[in-house]
Amino acid sequence: MPESPKGDLKFDDTALTVAGDGAPVVLVHGMGLNRYMWDGQMPPLTASFRVVAYDLLGHGQSIARPGPYAMDNFVDQLARLLDRLEIKRCGLVGFSLGGLIAQAFTLAHAGRVDALAILNTGYDRSADERSGMIERLKITRDAGHGATVEMALARWFTPDFAARRPDRVETVRRWMHANDPAAYREIYRVLVYGDRPLSDAISAIRCPALVLACEEDVGNSPEMARRMVRRMANARLAIVPGLKHMGLVEDPDAINEILVPFLAGILDSRG
């Protein structure tokens, strides 16, 4: 059997990193970010798993096009990537927009997902919960996505972390500004409305699922996570105290001590 590819790679329209050995775990990042947002999760994950982190279409080093974009584009991207890597089944971890994509992929390809982790992801938003996102979508159309970056950083990081680690916040700021403006506003629309068709559909997800929220993440709240867990037959809930949306960057250990055992408990037993 040929050795599995490792390192930084480019397949067709997708840039990715493959590291570690073991059962496959695939990481799907959030809106405006890239595969390097998982740097705090890579060491403990690659110690046990073959980890694939990739850039979504229109993000990082993957291909950007003006659009339109739909959820199916991202589901298809992930399916093609798994085929190219000859991964038949995996643990799938999605953050924010990536969490929506992970749900949609699991519904479309249930036989390929052994364990599903949904991190800091919105669910079945009410009109009030969606209104801020719609306003930011309007700003991206009228003034460009750069006008929303500082608002995002304030929602994503606690003030204490921003004061202690301005370098980490600056890295995320650079990632956000580097996005292609036309692609960003089209993909942001997928984020704004992508939870709607999933709200009832996820009741069909049967694989073990972890739904994790950070206590201070107002846009992807613990209450949304609770509602999501109630909708799925085989889901467990984790609420991480004291963190905002980017808790997995701000305090990786707090996330890893929940995420890694969840995946290990399922994927290790798969054999």
Side-chain angles (χ1 to χ4, degrees):
M1 171 182 274
E3 186 175 351
S4 299
K6 297 287 177 64
D8 291 329
L9 307 166
K10 188 77 175 284
F11 291 159
D12 302 320
D13 53 9
T14 299
L16 64 150
T17 300
V18 183
D21 291 293
V25 170
V26 180
L27 308 178
V28 192
H29 67 75
M31 181 73 216
L33 303 170
N34 57 57
R35 67 191 189 272
Y36 299 112
M37 66 157 278
W38 299 105
D39 282 356
Q41 284 65 55
M42 291 295 279
L45 287 175
T46 57
S48 299
F49 306 112
R50 179 190 179 199
V51 180
V52 178
Y54 71 101
D55 290 341
L56 292 170
L57 296 172
H59 291 77
Q61 298 169 327
S62 289
I63 296 297
R65 54 179 173 75
Y69 284 85
M71 183 63 73
D72 286 348
N73 298 129
F74 297 102
V75 171
D76 177 67
Q77 180 193 20
L78 178 51
R80 288 185 288 109
L81 179 61
L82 295 185
D83 289 345
R84 185 69 180 268
L85 292 168
E86 298 183 350
I87 294 173
K88 294 181 179 179
R89 304 176 67 90
C90 67
L92 186 58
V93 182
F95 169 82
S96 194
L97 171 61
L100 298 179
I101 294 167
Q103 293 171 62
F105 181 88
T106 304
L107 288 166
H109 302 277
R112 304 191 76 165
V113 181
D114 288 318
L116 173 65
I118 304 165
L119 313 181
N120 301 82
T121 299
Y123 172 71
D124 194 23
R125 288 185 169 93
S126 66
D128 285 345
E129 290 168 333
R130 202 178 307 277
S131 61
M133 299 182 73
I134 293 172
E135 178 60 27
R136 290 189 291 276
L137 177 59
K138 183 177 185 299
I139 292 171
T140 67
R141 289 171 173 166
D142 295 344
H145 75 282
T148 68
V149 170
E150 297 308 313
M151 291 185 283
L153 296 175
R155 293 193 310 275
W156 291 1
F157 293 103
T158 66
D160 177 67
F161 180 80
R164 286 187 294 107
R165 293 301 307 270
D167 57 315
R168 301 302 302 277
V169 178
E170 178 59 26
T171 295
V172 176
R173 180 182 286 113
R174 289 200 315 270
W175 292 343
M176 296 286 287
H177 280 292
N179 284 285
D180 177 88
Y184 186 98
R185 63 176 172 262
E186 286 297 315
I187 298 169
Y188 195 78
R189 181 177 47 80
V190 177
L191 175 64
V192 172
Y193 298 108
D195 62 302
R196 280 179 169 173
L198 295 170
S199 59
D200 291 330
I202 62 170
S203 61
I205 293 176
R206 293 290 182 264
C207 69
L210 168 69
V211 180
L212 181 148
C214 290
E215 183 180 37
E216 306 300 327
D217 186 353
V218 295
N220 306 271
S221 68
E223 180 52 36
M224 291 182 198
R226 292 185 184 98
R227 297 201 304 259
M228 200 183 311
V229 166
R230 288 196 291 268
R231 197 69 185 172
M232 291 189 285
N234 196 12
R236 67 187 75 173
L237 176 70
I239 307 297
V240 182
L243 294 172
K244 290 184 147 185
H245 190 54
M246 291 292 282
L248 77 177
V249 171
E250 184 165 334
D251 189 353
D253 289 346
I255 308 302
N256 297 340
E257 67 185 16
I258 300 168
L259 176 62
V260 177
F262 165 75
L263 294 170
I266 298 160
L267 301 181
D268 287 352
S269 65
R270 191 190 70 180

